[in-house]
Amino acid sequence: MILSRAGWHSPAGNYTLAAADVHIWRTTFDWPVTALDRILSPDERERARRFRFEIHRRCFLIGRGLLRTLLGRYLDVPPGTLLFHYTAFGKPTLAEGSLRFNVSHSGELLLMAVTLNRAIGVDIEQIRRDRAVGEIAGHFFSPNERTILAGLPDHVQHDAFFNCWTRKEAYVKAKGDGLSLPLHQFDVAFLPGDPAQLLATRPDGAEADRWSLRELDVAEGYKAAIAVEGSEWTPVCWHWPVEPLERSSLMQSQPSDPFRLTEASG
């Protein structure tokens, strides 16, 4: 299943995040850094200062600021009060509660995925036609994936490569194992037009049945995918437009906030 570009909606009115829901948010980096910086923690500001290049610092500040804003809206708390814990592999999690999330950015786009009580990973990549995809695949993909990619016509190899890469990265991020899970230890379906799927996992073959993958059609020139624990979940795709009034209101936490979390019964 492909979550198509036409399926992205602008948020309107109140809604809830039920137990089977997966919300996926798409936005750009056209946001005011100063306002978002104010809600970051001291350690997040220090991390931002350590980036060598301004573009990377800006991406981190906006990405973490928007994540705090979004999660604060779901939980109905001021975004600056959220406490993050980090796994041994650096994956951020909320210190308390059932909300699970993951973030990815590339080029001008940022994706944030949110759900309840299930592991989740999302990845987006801007397609680079100048990349030597065969060489990269030779270092990271499984033998079967390398063979399939090499057998494709040249004009579809880049699309296929980024299909494979984003699906693998989404799964690795959902697992939360970082570099301890080599990309060649599992296979994904990635031929253009094929549904995203985790085909094989090694050494535990049963692991593939615990996860589901879906392709996200986010924008021209990009590939994206999401990995979610289990199969009984419903995706909802939101586009976060940049409007002056909205940018101002998103920096506040108000009782009338539409980002309200309610867990479904059962």
Side-chain angles (χ1 to χ4, degrees):
M1 176 182 178
I2 300 176
L3 303 180
S4 71
R5 209 171 309 166
W8 296 84
H9 308 287
S10 296
N14 293 328
Y15 64 89
T16 60
L17 181 64
D21 287 347
V22 173
H23 287 185
I24 307 147
W25 290 85
R26 176 187 65 182
T27 189
T28 72
F29 284 97
D30 186 18
W31 294 87
V33 173
T34 303
L36 290 165
D37 180 76
R38 290 198 297 266
I39 64 175
L40 300 189
S41 65
D43 64 296
E44 289 169 335
R45 294 193 191 97
E46 175 58 30
R47 178 178 171 184
R49 282 194 290 268
R50 292 198 299 267
F51 284 103
R52 179 179 179 183
F53 297 106
E54 174 63 21
I55 187 173
H56 297 150
R57 185 184 75 88
R58 178 179 172 83
C59 285
F60 175 79
L61 288 173
I62 293 175
R64 184 53 62 92
L66 289 180
L67 175 65
R68 279 185 169 274
T69 300
L70 183 64
L71 297 181
R73 296 279 168 142
Y74 276 112
L75 296 170
D76 198 17
V77 300
T81 65
L82 293 172
L83 295 177
F84 291 108
H85 285 177
Y86 296 86
T87 69
F89 300 102
K91 183 177 182 179
T93 62
L94 286 173
E96 297 180 352
S98 58
L99 207 62
R100 304 290 182 265
F101 63 90
N102 199 236
V103 178
S104 182
H105 68 84
S106 183
E108 297 297 319
L109 294 180
L110 171 71
L111 292 182
M112 297 177 285
V114 184
T115 190
L116 294 172
N117 292 315
R118 64 177 76 223
I120 188 170
V122 66
D123 190 63
I124 180 173
E125 300 290 341
Q126 189 173 27
I127 299 173
R128 292 283 302 274
R129 302 290 175 184
D130 59 342
R131 292 290 175 88
V133 295
E135 181 179 341
I136 299 172
H139 288 290
F140 296 104
F141 290 2
S142 71
N144 185 54
E145 290 167 337
R146 294 198 299 265
T147 299
I148 293 173
L149 184 67
L152 294 176
D154 291 344
H155 69 280
V156 299
Q157 281 198 6
H158 280 81
D159 284 343
F161 170 84
F162 283 98
N163 276 344
C164 191
W165 186 270
T166 53
R167 294 168 194 186
K168 281 178 167 291
E169 282 292 310
Y171 173 63
V172 168
K173 293 175 72 177
K175 289 275 291 179
D177 294 334
L179 296 177
S180 69
L181 178 60
L183 296 181
H184 62 75
Q185 283 195 352
F186 60 95
D187 293 5
V188 299
F190 64 90
L191 291 176
D194 280 0
Q197 185 180 356
L198 188 59
L199 298 175
T201 50
R202 297 174 290 275
D204 182 5
E207 182 72 7
D209 295 330
R210 292 186 54 237
W211 302 86
S212 52
L213 293 176
R214 294 192 184 179
E215 178 181 352
L216 304 174
D217 184 11
V218 293
E220 186 70 28
Y222 289 84
K223 291 290 185 180
I226 187 168
V228 180
E229 186 178 16
S231 57
E232 300 299 322
W233 55 276
T234 302
V236 183
C237 297
W238 302 105
H239 173 61
W240 213 349
V242 180
E243 298 292 343
L245 289 177
E246 184 181 355
R247 285 190 296 194
S248 174
S249 66
L250 284 174
M251 298 305 109
Q252 307 169 20
S253 287
Q254 301 177 2
S256 60
D257 198 320
F259 294 85
R260 194 64 55 78
L261 174 74
T262 61
E263 296 191 39
S265 60

